Amino acid sequence: MKIKIINPNTTWSMTRKIGHCASQVVAAGTEIVAVSPAMGPASIESHYDEALSVPGILDEIRLGEEAGVDAYVIACFGDPGLYAAREAARGPVIGIAEAAMHAASLIGSGFSVVTTLERTCGIAWHLAEMYGMQRFCRKVRACKLNVLELEHSGSDAYRIIVEECRQAMEQDKVDSIVLGCAGMTDLCKAIEDELGIAVIDGVTVAVKLAESLVHLGLKTGKRGDLAYPLSKPYSGLLENFSRG
Ligand code: 2AL
C-alpha cells in the first residue's frame, strides 16, 4: 500500500519530519511518500497562503494518480484544497485537521486546539464548524509562533507550546489537546508524556485512517459531488490543470 503525504508548504525540513513521524506508525507493508509541491508558500498561516497552496497540492495528486498511490494525506492544519483533492483522486484523501478533530471526538467530550499564530484560529474554528466538531471544540489557542519557528532548534517553540497546552489542560475542561500544525508532529509524544493528557497529532492519525480505509477497500465516491472534475480549458498559469 502506498500513502502519499502532501505537506502543502515548500519547507522540506518539515516534510522530512512529517514523513519520518508517519513512517513510525504504519504497518510493515505500507509505504509512505512525503512530498512538498514544486510551487507554493514556504509556510501556510493565512487564507491567502492556503489558496496559493492548492494548485501545488492538486499537481501532487495528479502525479500520485499516475504513480498508483492508494491514499493521500494533506498535512496542513487548514486542510487546504481537501475537497478538490478528493475530486481528483481515486482513493481516500484525509486532512490532518479533520482526522485530529474526529479522533478527539471519539476519545472524549471536549478538546482544545493549540496552534501557531493567532490569525489561524479563525481557520481552525471554521473547520470545526464545517466538520460538525464545534460541539467538542472548547477553545482554539494560539502560541504566537509562526510556522517556520517550529523548524529552528533555537526558537524555544517546544517550551512555548507545552505551556499553552498546560493552560488548555488546566482551564478548558478537555480530555485531549489537538496540535494545530503539521510542524508540531515530532513534539506530540514529549508533550503528552510531560503533561499526562492525550495529545493528538493529525499527521499520524490521518495516515492511520488512510491506511485503514485502503485496507477496507474504501475509495472516494465518484457518483456525486466528488466525481472527477469536468474536462475544460484552464488558461494562463493554470493551463496544465486541464483534464481530459
Ligand atoms: C500550518 C500547517 O499545518 N502547516 C503550515 O504550513 N501551516 N497550519 C498552521 N495553523 O500553522
Side-chain angles (χ1 to χ4, degrees), residues 7-9 14 42-45 75-78 96 115-117 120 147 180-183:
N7 169 21
N9 75 44
M14 189 179 291
S43 62
I44 299 168
E45 42 208 359
C76 173
F77 201 79
I96 65 166
T115 188
T116 51
L117 294 179
T120 67
V147 171
C181 181

Side-chain angles (χ1 to χ4, degrees), residues 80-216:
L82 180 61
Y83 291 90
R86 282 194 179 135
E87 288 181 354
R90 205 174 22 94
V93 185
I94 312 287
I96 65 166
E98 66 170 356
M101 290 184 192
H102 281 89
S105 77
L106 296 173
I107 62 160
S109 54
F111 65 84
S112 282
V113 175
V114 172
T115 188
T116 51
L117 294 179
E118 195 82 48
R119 64 178 300 162
T120 67
C121 291
I123 295 176
W125 271 121
H126 184 225
L127 292 180
E129 217 173 291
M130 183 168 66
Y131 299 145
M133 291 290 133
Q134 216 176 5
R135 184 158 73 83
F136 298 93
C137 188
R138 299 279 171 269
K139 198 160 183 169
V140 179
R141 292 172 167 270
C143 290
K144 300 179 182 64
L145 285 167
N146 64 47
V147 171
L148 293 181
E149 280 178 274
L150 298 169
E151 299 306 290
H152 299 152
S153 46
S155 77
D156 218 19
Y158 176 75
R159 267 295 114 223
I160 294 167
I161 295 165
V162 167
E163 285 321 308
E164 201 58 45
C165 290
R166 194 189 304 280
Q167 300 284 313
M169 186 171 90
E170 290 173 358
Q171 296 172 9
D172 301 350
K173 294 192 169 57
V174 290
D175 294 298
S176 67
I177 293 163
V178 165
L179 297 180
C181 181
M184 297 176 181
T185 181
D186 57 326
L187 310 178
C188 181
K189 206 82 211 110
I191 302 172
E192 187 166 273
D193 290 347
E194 187 161 343
L195 296 183
I197 186 171
V199 179
I200 300 177
D201 153 48
V203 173
T204 45
V205 175
V207 92
K208 289 305 285 181
L209 264 178
E211 188 181 47
S212 305
L213 295 176
V214 173
H215 191 73
L216 293 167

